[in-house]
Amino acid sequence: MTGMFDLSGKTALVTGSTMGIGKGLARGLAEAGAEIILNGRDRDRLVQVAEEFRADGFRVHTLPFDATDAEAAAAAIDRFESETGPIEIVVNNAGMQHRGPLESFAPADFDQLMKTNVNSVFYVAQAAARHMIDRGHGKIVNIASVQTALARPGIAPYTASKGAVANLTKGMATDWAKYGLQINAIAPGYFDTPLNKALVEDPEFCVWLEKRTPAGRWGQIKELVGACVFLCSEASSFVNGHTLFVDGGITASL
């Protein structure tokens, strides 16, 4: 049974994988046997993380490109496919948060947030899917959020972006499942990550979160790994267009 979750021989690209959830998922996929392609815009940081992974015995590549740049993403993926080998798994993790009152939220900030959280998912998935379609198989996992289903004050644009990720995931599955691809999403709840640093350090918010979440605590990044390995493995061969919430029960309870 464990063989269904074995990723040996597979190569996985994880966008935004130099820190936080992306780095944690990349490590988890490596532990499941995958060869990892680390991605980010900071070349020095990519080299540093790659050295960490290699020191632990993992096979790692670095692929620096801006996921919000369609041409750069396609060029990098095409080059890797041509020069190194197939990318069988893509985890679209690159994302950002920007908080502020909706009535004064700057249009430029809204555009940047949507480009980072939604456009990048489309650009990277499309570039990789073109190769996957030719091969007749591939796995794409998009990182959504608990805000895919819920809203909180001050993050309406982020909520809109993550709702779009879930529906884009459905659309990708609808268009590409016939070619042998599985496209799904993971929706993390509140996790202790650099993106949530301001909230983690806010005692009032932490008290609210612990009361609001049935599990009574923040999630830890390692608790997302199992869901990701499942969606990237043969164990999920008939799962398509699904958003898997990993949220300690917060979306299940009022």
Side-chain angles (χ1 to χ4, degrees):
M1 180 63 72
T2 56
M4 295 179 67
F5 300 91
D6 184 11
L7 300 180
S8 298
K10 303 293 184 181
T11 300
L13 166 63
V14 184
T15 66
S17 46
T18 60
M19 63 185 296
I21 287 175
K23 182 179 179 182
L25 294 181
R27 176 172 289 276
L29 295 178
E31 290 173 347
E35 191 168 330
I36 302 301
I37 308 170
L38 297 170
N39 161 260
R41 291 177 293 186
D42 186 334
R43 292 174 182 267
D44 292 339
R45 180 65 178 154
L46 276 174
V47 170
Q48 179 184 340
V49 175
E51 289 175 351
E52 291 176 20
F53 277 39
R54 291 187 183 114
D56 291 331
F58 302 134
R59 297 187 64 188
V60 182
H61 306 270
T62 60
L63 198 60
F65 66 85
D66 182 349
T68 69
D69 182 329
E71 292 184 1
I77 289 170
D78 290 349
R79 184 173 63 254
F80 188 94
E81 288 266 352
S82 174
E83 297 177 359
T84 307
I87 300 172
E88 292 108 337
I89 297 166
V90 169
V91 179
N92 275 310
N93 167 76
M96 67 170 292
Q97 173 65 289
H98 187 88
R99 299 178 174 88
L102 186 59
E103 64 273 17
S104 58
F105 205 94
D109 291 335
F110 183 92
D111 291 344
Q112 182 187 24
L113 193 148
M114 296 300 287
K115 190 172 184 179
T116 303
N117 292 357
V118 183
N119 293 28
S120 69
V121 173
F122 167 65
Y123 297 154
V124 174
Q126 183 190 61
R130 288 171 174 159
H131 297 281
M132 294 175 175
I133 288 168
D134 288 342
R135 290 189 288 267
H137 61 86
K139 299 275 192 174
I140 298 173
V141 177
N142 301 323
I143 302 302
S145 167
V146 69
Q147 266 74 50
T148 296
L150 302 173
R152 288 195 71 253
I155 57 169
Y158 181 84
T159 301
S161 74
K162 291 304 184 177
V165 168
N167 275 324
L168 183 55
T169 299
K170 292 178 183 179
M172 288 176 176
T174 300
D175 280 6
W176 296 338
K178 62 186 176 185
Y179 300 117
L181 279 61
Q182 287 90 48
I183 304 92
N184 296 286
I186 298 173
Y190 284 92
F191 278 72
D192 185 354
T193 68
L195 194 66
N196 283 330
K197 184 175 184 293
L199 298 180
V200 173
E201 295 176 350
D202 182 342
E204 184 178 351
F205 182 86
C206 289
V207 169
W208 172 86
L209 179 66
E210 291 167 4
K211 291 181 178 178
R212 177 65 180 81
T213 306
R217 60 178 176 83
W218 287 89
Q220 300 300 313
I221 292 175
K222 64 183 180 181
E223 294 176 295
L224 290 168
V225 170
C228 191
V229 170
F230 165 65
L231 292 176
C232 291
S233 72
E234 288 304 309
S236 60
S237 60
F238 203 57
V239 180
N240 234 326
H242 179 67
T243 297
L244 175 57
F245 283 83
V246 184
D247 63 4
I250 198 169
T251 54
S253 174
L254 287 173

